[in-house]
């Protein structure tokens, strides 16, 4: 098996046809068919047959598709590691949820990267539903965010930091005093950060519990921007408790007392098992559970550009 053959087959599985795979790889359909034919001959399996509804894959074909993605991801990772070793640098590619990226990642990265002069950290923000795929394909080395409903095998998941989510409003807002019922909450304008998009995570869970209509939700490019709007009386914001502690103490924000809030969540780190994970990812998984890491996440002051090189991709409307 060659990487070219595996890429042709993986594209055929992903896109559902030889024609689409050829277009995606910018090669001819004959070339894709030839690569698939070589795999069929070598493995002694048809891999797939053509049906009225498209392609019907054999059990062996589906197993090969899974392995092909892993092998190609490992190849890309190896090329990257060799290149970095030649330059005397290491790179940790970290995927996180938007809530963690904004509130806790800077302090963690500052402390973790500061322990090694040869380490760069690249942060990218993703929907937590994609964490498993990103790890298996070696697109990232570790992922931090809410615990997935189901864990892909093999996968390591470690809970390391609990937090609370509050509903907050600015001074003068009608909800400042008194206990607020769910019907009144639903009628409010909700000021939200990017973590409100999607199904996984504490913020989407709270919105479902309250059953906030979509037309009452306003989503901003950052959670800080949403909270700033709340300070000016524009609506109700959901905030991580430790991130707004000073604003609450100063009276710039006020906690809304509701039947479903505060809500408790946790952040988790996901990696491949130690035998498959890059050493720096396994090191981070151990490091995040230490008291020093916890304090850094709660009180971190940010990082320098030389240490932290983010490649942040937030999709709001997918």
């Amino acid at each position: 098996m060659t990487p070219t053959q595996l890429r042709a087959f993986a594209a055929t599985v992903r896109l559902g046809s030889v024609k689409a795979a050829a277009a995606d790889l910018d090669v001819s359909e004959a070339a894709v068919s030839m690569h698939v034919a070589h795999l069929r001959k070598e493995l002694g399996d048809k891999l797939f047959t053509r049906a009225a509804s498209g392609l019907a894959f054999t059990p062996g074909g589906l197993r090969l598709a899974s392995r092909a993605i892993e092998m190609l991801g490992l190849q890309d990772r190896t090329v990257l590691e060799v290149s970095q070793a030649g330059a005397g640098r290491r790179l940790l590619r970290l995927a996180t949820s938007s809530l963690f990226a904004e509130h806790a990642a800077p302090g963690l990265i500052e402390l973790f990267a500061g322990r090694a002069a040869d380490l760069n950290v690249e942060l990218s923000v993703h929907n937590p539903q994609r964490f498993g795929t990103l790890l298996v394909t070696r697109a990232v080395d570790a992922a931090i965010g809410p615990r997935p409903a189901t864990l892909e095998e093999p996968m390591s998941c470690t809970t390391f930091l609990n937090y609370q989510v509050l509903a907050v409003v600015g001074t003068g807002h009608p909800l400042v005093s008194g206990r607020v019922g769910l019907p009144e909450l639903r009628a409010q304008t909700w000021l939200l950060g990017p973590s409100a998009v999607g199904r996984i995570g504490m913020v989407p869970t709270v919105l479902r519990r309250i059953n906030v209509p979509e037309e009452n939700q306003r989503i901003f490019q950052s959670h800080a921007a949403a909270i700033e709007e709340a300070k000016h009386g524009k609506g109700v914001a959901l905030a991580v408790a430790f991130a707004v502690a000073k604003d609450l103490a100063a009276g710039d924000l006020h906690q809304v007392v509701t039947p479903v809030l505060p809500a408790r969540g946790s952040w988790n780190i996901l990696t491949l098992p130690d035998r498959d994970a890059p050493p720096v990812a396994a090191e981070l998984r151990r490091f995040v559970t230490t008291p020093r890491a916890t304090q850094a996440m709660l009180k971190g002051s940010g990082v320098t550009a030389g240490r932290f090189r983010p490649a942040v991709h937030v999709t709001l409307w997918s």
Side-chain angles (χ1 to χ4, degrees), residues 52-140:
S53 58
L55 300 181
F57 292 90
T58 67
L62 293 176
R63 177 61 63 87
L64 176 61
S66 175
R67 287 288 185 265
I69 292 172
E70 293 181 27
M71 293 166 69
L72 292 170
L74 184 59
Q75 180 193 34
D76 293 340
R77 173 70 197 181
T78 301
V79 171
L80 180 63
E81 287 179 344
V82 171
S83 174
Q84 291 168 353
R89 304 293 302 174
R90 293 183 298 154
L91 174 66
L92 172 67
R93 299 170 302 167
L94 181 62
T96 75
S97 65
S98 59
L99 199 65
F100 182 84
E102 187 167 340
H103 292 305
L108 174 65
I109 293 171
E110 176 185 31
L111 186 59
F112 184 68
R115 299 160 68 245
D118 66 337
L119 178 64
N120 289 332
V121 179
E122 179 182 278
L123 173 70
S124 57
V125 177
H126 296 272
N127 185 326
Q129 290 177 301
R130 297 195 60 229
F131 282 175
T133 299
L134 292 169
L135 287 166
V136 169
T137 59
R138 271 70 172 186
V140 301

Side-chain angles (χ1 to χ4, degrees), residues 167-169 173-190 209-210 212 236 254-262:
V168 296
V169 294
H173 192 279
L175 300 188
V176 165
S177 59
R179 189 174 179 86
V180 181
L182 293 183
E184 189 175 1
L185 278 177
R186 293 188 194 103
Q188 302 301 314
T189 297
W190 287 79
R209 288 176 185 171
I210 301 173
V212 178
V236 182
H254 303 269
Q255 181 178 348
V256 178
V257 181
T258 79
V260 296
L261 291 167

Side-chain angles (χ1 to χ4, degrees), residues 205-224:
T205 299
V206 169
L207 295 175
R208 287 196 298 271
R209 288 176 185 171
I210 301 173
N211 196 22
V212 178
E214 187 173 329
E215 58 268 22
N216 289 355
Q217 301 178 31
R218 294 178 58 199
I219 300 178
F220 294 80
Q221 290 182 318
S222 70
H223 301 91

Side-chain angles (χ1 to χ4, degrees), residues 31 33 47 59 79 82 89 91 99 113 127 130 159 187 275 277 283 286 289 299 306:
S33 297
L47 303 180
V79 171
V82 171
R89 304 293 302 174
L91 174 66
L99 199 65
N127 185 326
R130 297 195 60 229
T159 300
R275 66 178 183 274
E283 182 183 350
R286 294 187 291 270
T289 61
K299 300 179 180 180

